[in-house]
Amino acid sequence: MGVTRYSVGSMGRLSSSGFYLSRKVVVFMVLLLGALLLAVGILGTFYVRCSKTSPLSSMSGTVTRTTPANHPMAYKLQVGEEQKANIIRSPVTRPSTTQPSWSRDPSRLLTLGPQDHQSLSTSGSLDDPILSTAEPRTHPNLFSSPPRGLFTSKPRDHRTQSTPQPQPQPQPISEPWKHPRLPSDVVPLHYDLELWIYLHPENIKESSKFFNGRLNITVKCVSPTSKVLVHSLGLDYEDTTILGPLSEDPGAHKEQRPVDQVAVNNTWKYPEMEYLVIELRETLKSGHRYMLQFDFSGSVNQTHEDGLFRILYSDQKNTKAVIASQLEPTFARAIYPCFDEPAMKATFNVTIVHHPTFVALSNMPVIATSKREDTNGFKWTVTTFETTPRMSTYITAFAVCDYHYVKGMERGKEVQIWARKDAIAKGEANFSLSISGPIFSKLEDLLNVSYPLPKIDLIGFPTFTIQAMENWGLITFDDHLLVQTKDDFPERKIMILSTVAHEIAHQWFGNLVTMKWWNDAWLNEGFASYFEYYMIKEFNPQIFKFQNEFFYHSFMSFILRQDHAMIARTVSTKVVNYTKSSDINVLFDEYIYKKGSCIIRMFSNCLGEDLFIRGLRSYLKTFAFSNAEQDDLWNHFQMVLDNQNEVLLPASVKSIMDKWTHQSGCPIITLDVSTGKVNQQPFFLAKDKDQITPFHNNTWTVPINWMKSGVVQPLVWLDNNSKVFPEMQLSDSEHDWAILNVNTTGYYMTNYDQLGWKKICLMLEKDPKVISVSDRMKLFDDAFTLSWYGYVEIETALDLTKYLAKEEEALVWNRVFLNLLRPDLFVSLNNHNVYLLLKKYLLKKLTPMWHIYSNKIRENAVQDDEMTILSLKKVFEGACWLGLEDCLQLSREIFSKWMNYSEPIKNSNLIKYEIMCFGVAMGSDKEWDFLLSIYEKSRLEEEEENLLHSMSCSKDPWVLYRSMEYALDENSVISEPSHMLNLVAETVIGRLVTKEFLINNWQAVEKRFGKESLISLASTIAVPISTDSEFQEFQQFSRTILGENDSVMLLNTIKEQMKVNQQNNKSIAKIINWLKKNMDD
């Protein structure tokens, strides 16, 4: 059979197999194949669009899980299924039939006032979405099949689902996600945020673990880019979309135009910098607005108060929970994706979906509430808030709680204090309410800038580690800084006034005007601290009378003594692109709060309050709703100064003030009264005096307020290392004397030549009231601090004490005791001579002042004397420690009544723990057991700490040994038993007891608390060692309990401590000699 051929005129075509096919059949098959291919293409496109991913967006990688449903059993079942299948869960309780309170209308998200927002329909082609009021997209129910994960933990090559190949993308010229700062090519304009908080009153623990969110961010493209970066921390994403360019201003009456969708090529997380990276298949156009859309979920923090956190508490005899936020410095990104930098300000619309039992709070007032039914048929409350002004992300705030409130009105605005229902019912929030509104009004009048929000809420939490946070319009507090119980400590009112004033001041300094970057955080905290002081003196008449004393005691004294030149810490730091929240958190220390406020007060005093406030008003009005840096502040002060001729500075504001904010340490200003020469030098610790510091050039421009022979003199400036002021030269007359830094307005220490100190001492002995209380306080601090570090002799400082029999102010005695009764001078029983001599010398001078204050204690009059409240603790402790019999007897009386009759200490609450300490010290195991019973009932961490300290005050070695055995017992109720061991070891008698205890129990201690605790105890009992024989004895002891390696490390540390002790022994010898010579003065 040969090859078969076909004829042209035949009815068909010959196939290779020899079969003939009809032409009609061939045409039909071609058409059918084409139709099938078209159907496949359409179905593929429909699938991609319904899942809201880019057609090129098939990704494999890390799979995450989103928030559970509200029903506890459903949640458990779902989690179990997901753990088996390793899948993503989508938001489950959002109905497909209910219009959400928030919506996606890019045309109206930039308004500054509250507006209703239309929704963006996704029912049409995603290549051509239109603005409408159509139904929102549906969400699957609890057990529906979830979509695949969209995000990986790092960039991946993208694989396509369909045959068409993507267009070539331009190669990136950089990797912006590796930079710690956001790129500047896209900036936020408005956030439309909805949070779904699942907290349920009948299942608070399970229902408070997760949350869901939906977010629109309207952004402006500043420069062309194909990558968008937002901050994100611990969030899981179901969906991300970018729409735009948006219509500039369509107006409500105009027909809304279609909005394109920007194709997303890839979306992934870069956890090292806490970024979510969105790579686009096209470039965003400069000058145009776009909308970023996210569906996401996250976890509620159960252990730390960062991001969205939960606190359990007891109220009305029930266990309850509150969920709230803490976002400073960089935890907004843990609740919603955002541009989480202080200069990236935008407006916000917030909606919170929550259980109807609870109330929802945010920065702005509520404008609407509605109901939303979930897939289980439960109706949730939807609370919608007004639009915020432009603000930083870190001061947005959210709370869902079962609280009550007290309310007041201030200049037409609501002021509400929210707290536990028990606290509100007992009136414990009334004091906070009485001061909050007036503080707002006072600051408005002073700064001539109105508070821009329509309300202010202050809310207290049972525990709040950071104590308070200034969120705009919703300030958060620890309860003990907002509410006051009936039998609370007398100083609680001052603490509440202080904290409330500080946080309200932030509404201007930090919220209205915000630092550009965290290096200038002092612009927030320094000014808030200064106006905290300012408001306290305005609202408390007694503190107003002693305002300089209050400021020095509360703000300056602590920071000045530790601010030496070798500390690499300045008020304003260089701009550093911090990559971790912990790096920013370390900036929030005493330097920006206390040193910042001290520098501000000093500068205010130089300008005068009128010019100072005028400069601040100009600064606030210029940068309202915006950001500033330190130079902006200096420029506005300079402008005010340039427009007047009454106050003249020796240099520009910037050149003067930069030295105080950019240099570490503080200067010592020394006056030689024989010549009138004044010089300055940086304050070093003794061991550092010969070192060179890279942190400054050793000079400041120093304003010097001074007094000569009781008359305040004009301000002078020291703008060089040294300068002669002829008017400061003194004669030999005993009536001629001078002191620098009058009223403690300057941030520096003062020193004098020997004649200058002698003249001051003589004046104090003659009439101490010629020198103000604050200046007497600072004289003691400066003299003793300079003596401990080798700038003056210890005898010079001791000479100041000769007049003390005439000193009636507890504030001054407080400084005396802080400087003279230093623990490191009495660590050893070998120092008994100095104790006995000092006791005899000081008690003779202390008795007149003691009678004044002991009567106040007995008459329960302490709570009415705020200045006494500030200092009485240390005075009482010092008097009893020195063995003043009336002090010890008073302790016995109060402690006995409390123990035997269960009578509250009440107005003696101020010295409650001092009374406990000396009550135990003079008692037996009976008193110790009584405090243990109080400890068992305590629920406050602060009270537990003070009780443990008081229990360690016993002087009975048998009681102390028993207390250590109790701490070692695994059945002990002590929450921190290892801490109790250390407290005992820190006392003079306790060190001896601890050594004996460790000889017998070191293995048990190591087993129960670990090697570190054993080393800590050994180190504590070694503190007094100063001789070679003591060292050799301890060396043998430490090798026995620690082993050779750990012992060597500890012994090296002890050798350094020995040098300190030996230097202290030299000072002690000088003190003893001085006391012997001056005992009869």
Side-chain angles (χ1 to χ4, degrees):
M1 300 206 30
V3 175
T4 305
R5 302 187 182 272
Y6 66 92
S7 167
V8 174
S10 65
M11 295 294 294
R13 188 170 61 177
L14 186 65
S15 73
S16 60
S17 62
F19 288 96
Y20 286 92
L21 299 177
S22 167
R23 186 176 289 114
K24 291 183 179 180
V25 172
V26 170
V27 172
F28 174 79
M29 291 181 66
V30 170
L31 292 174
L32 178 61
L33 179 62
L36 288 172
L37 290 174
L38 180 61
V40 168
I42 292 172
L43 288 173
T45 303
F46 180 78
Y47 171 79
V48 171
R49 290 173 176 172
C50 286
S51 61
K52 293 292 297 271
T53 62
S54 169
L56 304 176
S57 183
S58 172
M59 298 184 62
S60 61
T62 304
V63 180
T64 52
R65 185 169 66 217
T66 60
T67 307
N70 58 296
H71 194 279
M73 183 56 67
Y75 162 67
K76 291 179 180 178
L77 291 172
Q78 187 176 7
V79 171
E81 291 299 318
E82 288 179 355
Q83 288 174 342
K84 294 177 184 178
N86 193 27
I87 58 176
I88 291 188
R89 176 166 67 244
S90 28
V92 293
T93 56
R94 299 178 186 173
S96 61
T97 58
T98 305
Q99 177 71 21
S101 58
W102 71 298
S103 51
R104 301 183 167 183
D105 180 1
S107 68
R108 302 184 66 191
L109 292 179
L110 296 181
T111 58
L112 294 179
Q115 292 200 22
D116 297 325
H117 295 283
Q118 297 175 341
S119 108
L120 180 61
S121 171
T122 58
S123 59
S125 168
L126 291 181
D127 291 329
D128 188 26
I130 58 172
L131 294 171
S132 71
T133 57
E135 293 290 311
R137 56 185 163 189
T138 62
H139 291 270
N141 64 27
L142 187 60
F143 299 105
S144 63
S145 300
R148 290 177 54 82
L150 300 180
F151 299 98
T152 60
S153 59
K154 59 182 179 180
R156 286 175 169 263
D157 294 331
H158 195 81
R159 298 179 181 180
T160 61
Q161 284 184 313
S162 53
T163 53
Q165 297 298 314
Q167 295 297 316
Q169 297 292 313
Q171 293 298 315
I173 60 174
S174 64
E175 297 178 320
W177 53 86
K178 292 186 176 180
H179 293 271
R181 297 287 296 273
L182 285 168
S184 58
D185 41 29
V186 173
V187 295
L189 300 175
H190 180 82
Y191 293 77
D192 207 346
L193 171 65
E194 178 187 273
L195 295 175
W196 195 311
I197 309 299
Y198 293 98
L199 180 64
H200 195 290
E202 296 179 3
N203 189 16
I204 58 176
K205 291 186 178 180
E206 290 299 320
S207 66
S208 61
K209 292 183 177 180
F210 303 96
F211 68 93
N212 271 13
R214 303 173 77 179
L215 174 66
N216 292 337
I217 310 178
T218 303
V219 301
K220 182 175 182 179
C221 181
V222 178
S223 58
T225 182
S226 60
K227 300 178 183 67
V228 177
L229 274 65
V230 294
H231 283 114
S232 178
L233 177 61
L235 298 176
D236 299 328
Y237 293 86
E238 181 207 349
D239 194 11
T240 298
T241 306
I242 298 184
L243 303 177
L246 305 180
S247 172
E248 286 304 313
D249 186 17
H253 60 284
K254 296 182 180 179
E255 182 179 353
Q256 295 173 334
R257 298 180 298 168
V259 177
D260 294 331
Q261 177 175 327
V262 180
V264 176
N265 189 56
N266 197 359
T267 308
W268 45 275
K269 299 174 184 177
Y270 191 71
E272 290 86 346
M273 296 296 173
E274 300 177 352
Y275 285 144
L276 177 68
V277 182
I278 307 170
E279 292 185 291
L280 309 176
R281 292 170 58 193
E282 58 189 88
T283 300
L284 301 184
K285 299 175 183 179
S286 177
H288 289 266
R289 296 180 305 129
Y290 295 84
M291 180 180 289
L292 317 181
Q293 295 184 329
F294 304 92
D295 277 7
F296 58 93
S297 61
S299 298
V300 178
N301 203 325
Q302 309 290 300
T303 57
H304 298 93
E305 290 145 13
D306 295 326
L308 201 64
F309 63 89
R310 182 201 72 183
I311 294 176
L312 299 178
Y313 66 98
S314 178
D315 192 16
Q316 297 182 323
K317 299 180 179 181
N318 294 311
T319 298
K320 298 186 177 183
V322 56
I323 289 182
S325 62
Q326 168 53 36
L327 307 187
E328 188 179 38
T330 58
F331 293 108
R333 65 192 68 174
I335 300 182
Y336 57 95
C338 57
F339 298 81
D340 201 9
E341 294 183 0
M344 293 283 195
K345 290 192 172 185
T347 56
F348 291 79
N349 274 103
V350 174
T351 296
I352 299 178
V353 185
H354 57 93
H355 192 280
T357 298
F358 302 110
V359 63
L361 302 172
S362 189
N363 304 83
M364 298 295 286
V366 175
I367 55 171
T369 58
S370 59
K371 297 294 180 181
R372 185 180 300 177
E373 187 173 329
D374 64 19
T375 55
N376 297 318
F378 185 81
K379 292 184 179 180
W380 297 79
T381 297
V382 181
T383 301
T384 305
F385 302 89
E386 291 183 18
T387 308
T388 72
R390 289 188 74 245
M391 58 189 286
S392 303
T393 51
Y394 79 90
I395 53 173
T396 56
F398 322 101
V400 173
C401 58
D402 184 16
Y403 276 9
H404 279 172
Y405 63 90
V406 288
K407 184 173 91 172
M409 298 294 293
E410 188 72 20
R411 295 182 174 177
K413 297 183 179 182
E414 283 191 347
V415 180
Q416 297 181 126
I417 313 295
W418 295 83
R420 292 169 291 108
K421 292 180 178 179
D422 281 342
I424 295 297
K426 294 175 183 176
E428 295 173 0
N430 292 347
F431 176 69
S432 294
L433 181 64
S434 71
I435 60 174
S436 298
I439 290 175
F440 271 98
S441 295
K442 184 68 177 179
L443 282 168
E444 281 187 332
D445 294 340
L446 183 67
L447 301 171
N448 199 27
V449 177
S450 296
Y451 173 66
L453 274 63
K455 64 93 176 177
I456 181 67
D457 288 322
L458 295 81
I459 183 171
F461 304 135
T463 59
F464 195 39
T465 304
I466 69 163
Q467 297 190 331
M469 176 62 200
E470 65 268 17
N471 313 302
W472 216 356
L474 179 56
I475 307 175
T476 50
F477 296 84
D478 189 293
D479 267 353
H480 79 278
L481 296 173
L482 187 66
V483 298
Q484 182 185 32
T485 61
K486 182 179 179 181
D487 294 322
D488 215 335
F489 295 105
E491 67 266 40
R492 185 72 73 206
K493 275 191 175 183
I494 297 178
M495 295 170 62
I496 292 173
L497 173 58
S498 173
T499 310
V500 169
H502 182 99
E503 304 306 326
I504 291 177
H506 267 308
Q507 307 303 298
W508 285 265
F509 297 97
N511 297 1
L512 181 67
V513 179
T514 312
M515 74 273 147
K516 285 185 178 178
W517 188 239
W518 301 106
N519 64 298
D520 274 333
W522 84 275
L523 294 176
N524 291 13
E525 300 300 344
F527 276 96
S529 297
Y530 174 77
F531 281 103
E532 166 192 339
Y533 147 75
Y534 196 102
M535 291 296 107
I536 291 173
K537 69 182 179 70
E538 290 296 314
F539 283 87
N540 189 301
Q542 190 178 35
I543 291 179
F544 182 84
K545 182 180 178 181
F546 292 93
Q547 56 185 278
N548 295 320
E549 290 76 15
F550 175 80
F551 185 88
Y552 181 73
H553 176 88
S554 303
F555 293 84
M556 187 185 292
S557 60
F558 172 80
I559 191 65
L560 193 64
R561 299 177 71 171
Q562 61 179 349
D563 190 18
H564 60 84
M566 292 305 293
I567 290 181
R569 182 67 177 96
T570 57
V571 171
S572 179
T573 63
K574 294 181 179 179
V575 176
V576 176
N577 295 328
Y578 305 103
T579 58
K580 298 178 180 178
S581 295
S582 57
D583 296 332
I584 300 173
N585 280 330
V586 298
L587 298 177
F588 289 82
D589 59 11
E590 300 290 349
Y591 288 89
I592 66 169
Y593 287 83
K594 293 190 173 179
K595 185 174 180 178
S597 64
C598 289
I599 291 171
I600 293 167
R601 176 172 172 263
M602 177 174 67
F603 187 57
S604 172
N605 182 75
C606 296
L607 298 187
E609 183 172 304
D610 179 62
L611 284 179
F612 176 73
I613 295 300
R614 282 163 55 190
L616 284 184
R617 289 174 176 176
S618 175
Y619 165 77
L620 290 173
K621 289 178 180 178
T622 300
F623 295 100
F625 308 105
S626 185
N627 299 79
E629 54 191 0
Q630 179 175 279
D631 281 356
D632 296 320
L633 178 68
W634 302 152
N635 289 338
H636 280 266
F637 280 126
Q638 191 65 56
M639 287 189 292
V640 170
L641 280 165
D642 291 344
N643 289 327
Q644 56 84 53
N645 53 19
E646 295 180 5
V647 177
L648 301 176
L649 302 182
S652 69
V653 172
K654 177 177 171 56
S655 64
I656 293 172
M657 296 307 295
D658 275 359
K659 293 178 180 180
W660 293 97
T661 58
H662 287 161
Q663 293 185 162
S664 64
C666 69
I668 302 170
I669 307 301
T670 302
L671 167 63
D672 185 333
V673 299
S674 300
T675 62
K677 182 179 180 180
V678 179
N679 65 65
Q680 63 170 293
Q681 62 184 127
F683 170 57
F684 289 89
L685 301 183
K687 62 182 180 182
D688 297 325
K689 287 175 67 174
D690 296 328
Q691 297 185 26
I692 298 175
T693 172
F695 306 122
H696 53 66
N697 61 10
N698 296 342
T699 61
W700 291 261
T701 302
V702 184
I704 300 177
N705 288 298
W706 66 293
M707 175 185 288
K708 183 175 183 179
S709 303
V711 179
V712 176
Q713 305 295 314
L715 173 74
V716 297
W717 290 87
L718 178 63
D719 50 5
N720 292 303
N721 283 327
S722 63
K723 191 174 184 179
V724 175
F725 295 95
E727 62 271 30
M728 292 188 184
Q729 185 176 3
L730 302 181
S731 68
D732 293 335
S733 170
E734 64 178 22
H735 302 293
D736 211 9
W737 55 275
I739 61 167
L740 307 182
N741 201 9
V742 172
N743 294 326
T744 62
T745 53
Y747 186 76
Y748 50 86
M749 296 184 189
T750 55
N751 190 16
Y752 306 87
D753 64 339
Q754 191 172 358
L755 179 60
W757 280 114
K758 181 179 179 180
K759 285 178 170 290
I760 291 171
C761 290
L762 290 172
M763 178 49 58
L764 286 172
E765 292 180 57
K766 183 179 179 181
D767 184 6
K769 294 184 179 180
V770 173
I771 299 174
S772 70
V773 175
S774 65
D775 289 337
R776 301 201 301 270
M777 294 165 66
K778 196 168 188 307
L779 279 171
F780 278 103
D781 279 353
D782 287 353
F784 278 100
T785 300
L786 294 174
S787 71
W788 299 132
Y789 296 113
Y791 290 92
V792 300
E793 296 297 328
I794 185 63
E795 293 87 350
T796 299
L798 289 168
D799 283 342
L800 285 174
T801 67
K802 291 181 178 180
Y803 89 95
L804 282 175
K806 297 181 179 180
E807 183 57 75
E808 299 177 350
E809 294 293 341
L811 281 166
V812 178
W813 274 100
N814 180 65
R815 310 317 301 179
V816 174
F817 285 157
L818 284 170
N819 284 289
L820 262 180
L821 305 186
R822 290 164 46 119
D824 57 345
L825 295 182
F826 305 98
V827 294
S828 173
L829 291 173
N830 294 331
N831 298 334
H832 64 278
N833 285 336
V834 69
Y835 171 75
L836 294 173
L837 290 169
L838 201 57
K839 171 181 177 178
K840 182 178 179 181
Y841 176 78
L842 287 178
L843 286 184
K844 183 170 60 174
K845 298 182 180 296
L846 176 66
T847 302
M849 186 279 297
W850 172 256
H851 286 318
I852 298 172
Y853 291 97
S854 63
N855 289 335
K856 287 188 176 183
I857 295 171
R858 286 188 167 94
E859 294 168 4
N860 294 325
V862 174
Q863 75 275 16
D864 298 323
D865 188 347
E866 284 84 355
M867 298 309 296
T868 299
I869 286 172
L870 295 176
S871 54
L872 189 59
K873 283 178 177 287
K874 190 65 182 178
V875 172
F876 190 92
E877 179 189 355
C880 285
W881 187 83
L882 288 169
L884 182 63
E885 182 54 38
D886 189 53
C887 182
L888 297 175
Q889 180 58 34
L890 185 58
S891 296
R892 289 191 199 98
E893 291 174 9
I894 298 175
F895 193 93
S896 178
K897 290 179 181 179
W898 185 38
M899 186 171 71
N900 295 325
Y901 308 106
S902 299
E903 179 180 322
I905 292 183
K906 292 184 180 178
N907 291 324
S908 299
N909 267 347
L910 179 63
I911 49 174
K912 176 177 180 178
Y913 297 112
E914 285 72 23
I915 289 171
M916 288 182 186
C917 177
F918 290 104
V920 169
M922 294 179 293
S924 62
D925 56 342
K926 181 180 178 182
E927 284 75 15
W928 193 95
D929 290 343
F930 174 70
L931 289 191
L932 179 62
S933 69
I934 300 299
Y935 183 94
E936 292 174 345
K937 301 172 185 175
S938 175
R939 295 294 181 268
L940 299 176
E941 184 177 339
E942 179 185 10
E943 183 177 55
E944 289 178 357
E945 166 68 22
N946 285 312
L947 283 166
L948 287 182
H949 177 81
S950 299
M951 293 161 70
S952 71
C953 292
S954 175
K955 298 186 182 301
D956 187 332
W958 304 108
V959 172
L960 292 175
Y961 197 95
R962 192 190 69 160
S963 69
M964 299 189 83
E965 287 183 325
Y966 181 74
L968 192 58
D969 188 341
E970 292 185 357
N971 296 319
S972 165
V973 300
I974 306 298
S975 59
E976 295 186 49
S978 61
H979 180 52
M980 185 176 188
L981 295 180
N982 278 291
L983 287 173
V984 172
E986 288 170 359
T987 66
V988 175
I989 298 174
R991 271 187 281 271
L992 302 176
V993 174
T994 302
K995 185 175 181 181
E996 183 71 21
F997 181 79
L998 288 180
I999 290 173
N1000 299 324
N1001 299 279
W1002 66 269
Q1003 291 171 317
V1005 171
E1006 182 177 0
K1007 181 180 179 180
R1008 174 92 196 274
F1009 305 118
K1011 195 63 168 284
E1012 288 299 320
S1013 181
L1014 195 62
I1015 294 173
S1016 175
L1017 285 169
S1019 176
T1020 301
I1021 65 178
V1023 167
I1025 293 175
S1026 61
T1027 66
D1028 292 338
S1029 61
E1030 291 172 331
F1031 180 79
Q1032 291 170 5
E1033 180 187 354
F1034 181 81
Q1035 185 177 42
Q1036 184 177 356
F1037 166 77
S1038 66
R1039 285 173 176 169
T1040 300
I1041 69 169
L1042 298 179
E1044 187 65 31
N1045 291 337
D1046 290 322
S1047 178
V1048 168
M1049 295 177 62
L1050 176 59
L1051 291 171
N1052 288 334
T1053 303
I1054 292 171
K1055 286 179 180 178
E1056 293 300 314
Q1057 181 62 39
M1058 283 179 64
K1059 296 177 183 178
V1060 175
N1061 291 342
Q1062 289 164 359
Q1063 184 62 42
N1064 284 341
N1065 288 340
K1066 293 178 182 178
S1067 297
I1068 290 171
K1070 291 181 179 180
I1071 293 172
I1072 289 173
N1073 289 334
W1074 187 93
L1075 288 170
K1076 289 178 178 178
K1077 293 177 182 178
N1078 295 276
M1079 189 59 67
D1080 297 330
D1081 288 352

